[in-house]
Amino acid sequence: MSKLTVEEAKQFRVGPDFQLADVDPTATPDVSDVDDVFHDYDDDLDDLQRRLFANSRVGNDNAGSVLLVLQGMDTSGKGGIIRHVIGETMDLQGVHVKAFGRPTEEEASHDFLWRFYEHLPEPGQISVFDRSHYEDVLVQRVKQMAPPEEIERRYGAIVEFENEIAARGTKIIKVMPHISRDFQAQNLKERIERADKHWKYNAGDIEDRKLWSQFMAAYQIALTRTSTDVAPWYCIPSDNKKYCRSVIKALLFDALDSLDLEWPEPDFDPEVELERLANS
Amino acid sequence: MSKLTVEEAKQFRVGPDFQLADVDPTATPDVSDVDDVFHDYDDDLDDLQRRLFANSRVGNDNAGSVLLVLQGMDTSGKGGIIRHVIGETMDLQGVHVKAFGRPTEEEASHDFLWRFYEHLPEPGQISVFDRSHYEDVLVQRVKQMAPPEEIERRYGAIVEFENEIAARGTKIIKVMPHISRDFQAQNLKERIERADKHWKYNAGDIEDRKLWSQFMAAYQIALTRTSTDVAPWYCIPSDNKKYCRSVIKALLFDALDSLDLEWPEPDFDPEVELERLANS
């Protein structure tokens, strides 16, 4: 029973030669039974996030923070990642989850990045974006909801935006949970048939599905042009949901670990306080 | 192995004859081994909160919501309740946790209730207050941080505030996790001695501890005067943390169950959509 290593998780990092078409959504490289590795990082994530949160509570503005961006096709498992990776290993007091839908009228009247600022993590926090500013170069590109030159401008604007976030001490992890078109059909079928899943189904999902190859082309461009050292993309095979979640745990572990978090030093003298306590 | 029933949980409800001094913080009535009952409601809470969240996602403004107020002495286990009751059974996308510290300068310049409004639950949401508007009649009373007539005014203002929240369809549960003074000493000792708990310790905690009986008197008054049908208080023995958490699970189950949540009706014809899917 071998651990899924950080290096193995990083094989999914999008580099300059990345070809989305070469990623097999059904693969589970380096893992024979995903149940063997799924909990590898749970204790570490718990410990590291407590440290991060503790630092924020004592007002350490240099504690650092983490931004996890989840951007994938319908039914690719974004909600499950939030629930099973974040919810089950971390203290929700230090976590901010934001799902981004269609922009409101006010939001649409500002630059496309405007609405994301207020959801960036504070020092000591972890923010999770369920969909993100990438909608503005994915669905908006595919459905021509903005002029080509505006779409073109956005790639650069996103890179600048993310550089700015990283410069504040935020570790950025961007994940595309990559599923096959067949797996999506299976998932949509469940949403149509099951009463407890109806609410997740949208008639418009079928329209998007018909544009699958256009979406894949838009992802190919977006991922390649915006995967940077400070804000890398990971395109993770996700027909096996638990595999994807295991990889994300390893990536989160690596990001938190790189913050080098110590427990905050006490701002009191333990001997003195024990004495005060004894006399209280 | 018998369940901890909702009726048993409700024995801790604060009524007109409530005497805080009569509540034994070390007791665990109706439960011999708390591990037997701790997970009784997990599946129900998971199911009900999913329904609540699903309703909010389809824009059902009548979905209802829940507000859990946690107000207790230092080390009474508020953080653990949030982590182990809320975090472990619910989807954090539908949960909003807010810890209230000392008011900021801006907050202090408004009426004491002002800062709480923006953290009330939206339809479909569960909000948890870690400390609350009761600080304004507890610590502020004990330490005479406001004139007596202002403190006096606040009890009525709180009841009105909570009536207003309830009228919006929010189920309110107010919990005082009640610990003994001895148990607090033990907990504070840990915070002073353990590096991973230092950040939770505050030299001021000892000052509050010296005012224990004044605090208990303030709780007695606050709980008695503000426990109403729509916003009842529960004073739960909490030297056994898991016992308190088990009782809260039963109370949350009851609140969610009383919302009578159905899965949202589909806004589509399943037959038609399966056909569209097959042709996509």
Side-chain angles (χ1 to χ4, degrees):
Chain A
M1 197 164 118
S2 68
K3 218 170 164 124
L4 180 71
T5 66
V6 169
E7 289 63 39
E8 284 162 353
K10 287 190 174 174
Q11 74 188 283
F12 302 113
R13 180 163 171 172
V14 172
D17 301 327
F18 172 75
Q19 290 298 330
L20 179 53
D22 293 344
V23 182
D24 175 4
T26 68
T28 61
D30 303 310
V31 171
S32 50
D33 182 349
V34 74
D35 287 321
D36 284 350
V37 300
F38 185 61
H39 294 293
D40 277 355
Y41 292 96
D42 289 9
D43 290 345
D44 286 322
L45 289 173
D46 177 68
D47 175 69
L48 289 169
Q49 193 242 339
R50 277 178 199 264
R51 286 171 193 248
L52 182 62
F53 184 61
N55 274 280
S56 78
R57 276 297 179 95
V58 299
N60 177 2
D61 283 342
N62 299 316
S65 58
V66 174
L67 172 62
L68 174 64
V69 172
L70 302 175
Q71 185 72 50
M73 297 296 284
D74 288 324
T75 83
S76 60
K78 300 180 292 294
I81 292 165
I82 291 167
R83 179 150 192 148
H84 298 288
V85 174
I86 307 296
E88 287 175 12
T89 66
M90 297 183 184
D91 187 339
L92 71 180
Q93 290 189 84
V95 175
H96 174 61
V97 175
K98 175 65 186 173
F100 291 101
R102 202 165 297 180
T104 63
E105 213 168 299
E106 196 201 355
E107 288 168 350
S109 75
H110 290 83
D111 179 67
F112 77 105
L113 290 171
W114 181 79
R115 64 178 176 146
F116 300 97
Y117 278 92
E118 71 167 305
H119 300 289
L120 295 174
E122 304 284 325
Q125 231 184 12
I126 297 178
S127 281
V128 184
F129 285 4
D130 176 354
R131 302 188 184 272
S132 67
H133 44 299
Y134 285 94
E135 293 286 311
D136 297 274
V137 291
L138 292 168
V139 64
Q140 295 227 351
R141 179 186 181 105
V142 170
K143 299 194 178 168
Q144 299 170 19
M145 295 158 73
E149 59 277 15
E150 166 61 9
I151 300 286
E152 190 54 35
R153 180 189 75 81
R154 288 178 182 172
Y155 299 103
I158 286 175
V159 169
E160 267 178 50
F161 174 58
E162 293 175 349
N163 282 343
E164 189 187 310
I165 299 168
R168 308 185 335 175
T170 301
K171 302 285 174 184
I172 305 171
I173 301 171
K174 299 182 295 193
V175 168
M176 175 192 182
H178 184 34
I179 57 170
S180 66
R181 206 166 175 278
D182 284 350
F183 187 59
Q184 191 193 50
Q186 208 177 302
N187 293 331
L188 288 174
K189 190 158 175 286
E190 265 194 14
R191 292 187 178 183
I192 296 170
E193 289 178 333
R194 282 176 49 177
D196 63 335
K197 299 213 167 187
H198 281 154
W199 63 281
K200 293 186 178 185
Y201 182 76
N202 218 302
D205 295 351
I206 303 281
E207 302 312 318
D208 286 4
R209 180 171 163 75
K210 288 182 182 156
L211 299 166
W212 189 272
S213 59
Q214 288 91 319
F215 268 103
M216 290 306 112
Y219 272 98
Q220 167 70 37
I221 297 166
L223 269 59
T224 315
R225 291 187 60 176
T226 63
S227 192
T228 63
D229 280 349
V230 297
W233 271 105
Y234 298 90
C235 177
I236 306 175
S238 300
D239 276 18
N240 183 327
K241 291 180 181 182
K242 234 173 169 176
Y243 180 79
C244 173
R245 292 172 195 161
S246 300
V247 172
I248 294 177
K249 283 183 178 178
L251 295 174
L252 278 171
F253 164 74
D254 180 56
L256 285 164
D257 192 47
S258 73
L259 292 173
D260 277 325
L261 291 161
E262 300 294 330
W263 288 107
E265 284 296 312
D267 59 354
F268 55 86
D269 178 341
E271 292 306 315
V272 173
E273 295 307 312
L274 284 173
E275 182 73 22
R276 288 181 65 218
L277 176 60
N279 294 330
S280 71
Chain B
M1 198 162 119
S2 67
K3 219 169 161 124
L4 181 71
T5 67
V6 169
E7 290 62 39
E8 285 162 353
K10 286 190 173 172
Q11 74 187 281
F12 302 113
R13 179 161 172 175
V14 172
D17 301 327
F18 173 75
Q19 289 299 332
L20 180 53
D22 293 343
V23 181
D24 175 4
T26 69
T28 60
D30 303 309
V31 170
S32 50
D33 182 349
V34 74
D35 286 322
D36 284 350
V37 300
F38 185 60
H39 294 293
D40 277 354
Y41 292 95
D42 288 11
D43 290 346
D44 287 322
L45 289 173
D46 176 68
D47 176 68
L48 289 169
Q49 193 242 339
R50 277 177 198 264
R51 287 171 192 248
L52 183 63
F53 184 60
N55 274 281
S56 77
R57 277 297 179 95
V58 300
N60 177 1
D61 284 342
N62 300 317
S65 57
V66 174
L67 172 63
L68 174 64
V69 172
L70 301 175
Q71 184 72 49
M73 297 295 285
D74 288 324
T75 84
S76 60
K78 300 180 292 293
I81 291 165
I82 292 167
R83 179 153 193 145
H84 298 288
V85 174
I86 307 296
E88 287 174 12
T89 65
M90 297 184 184
D91 187 339
L92 71 180
Q93 290 188 84
V95 175
H96 174 62
V97 175
K98 175 64 186 173
F100 292 100
R102 201 164 299 181
T104 63
E105 213 167 300
E106 196 201 354
E107 288 168 351
S109 75
H110 289 84
D111 179 66
F112 78 105
L113 290 171
W114 180 80
R115 64 178 177 145
F116 300 96
Y117 277 92
E118 70 167 306
H119 299 289
L120 295 174
E122 304 285 325
Q125 233 185 10
I126 296 177
S127 281
V128 183
F129 285 5
D130 176 355
R131 302 187 183 274
S132 67
H133 45 298
Y134 286 93
E135 292 287 310
D136 297 275
V137 291
L138 293 167
V139 64
Q140 295 226 353
R141 180 185 181 106
V142 170
K143 299 194 178 166
Q144 299 169 20
M145 293 157 74
E149 59 277 14
E150 165 62 9
I151 298 286
E152 190 55 35
R153 180 189 75 82
R154 289 178 182 172
Y155 299 103
I158 286 175
V159 170
E160 268 177 50
F161 174 58
E162 292 175 350
N163 283 343
E164 187 187 312
I165 299 168
R168 307 186 335 174
T170 301
K171 301 285 174 184
I172 305 172
I173 301 171
K174 300 182 295 193
V175 168
M176 176 193 182
H178 183 35
I179 57 170
S180 67
R181 204 165 177 280
D182 285 350
F183 187 59
Q184 191 193 49
Q186 208 176 303
N187 293 331
L188 287 174
K189 190 158 175 284
E190 263 192 18
R191 292 187 177 182
I192 295 170
E193 289 179 333
R194 281 175 50 177
D196 63 336
K197 299 212 165 186
H198 281 154
W199 64 280
K200 293 186 176 186
Y201 182 76
N202 218 302
D205 295 351
I206 303 281
E207 302 312 319
D208 284 4
R209 180 171 163 75
K210 288 182 182 157
L211 299 167
W212 188 273
S213 59
Q214 289 92 318
F215 267 103
M216 291 306 112
Y219 272 97
Q220 167 70 37
I221 297 166
L223 268 59
T224 315
R225 292 186 61 174
T226 63
S227 192
T228 63
D229 280 349
V230 297
W233 271 106
Y234 298 90
C235 177
I236 306 175
S238 300
D239 276 18
N240 184 326
K241 291 179 182 184
K242 235 174 168 174
Y243 180 78
C244 173
R245 293 173 195 160
S246 301
V247 172
I248 294 177
K249 282 183 179 180
L251 296 174
L252 278 171
F253 164 75
D254 180 56
L256 285 163
D257 192 45
S258 72
L259 292 174
D260 277 326
L261 291 161
E262 300 294 330
W263 288 108
E265 285 296 313
D267 59 354
F268 55 85
D269 177 341
E271 292 305 317
V272 172
E273 295 306 312
L274 284 173
E275 183 71 21
R276 288 181 65 219
L277 176 60
N279 294 329
S280 71

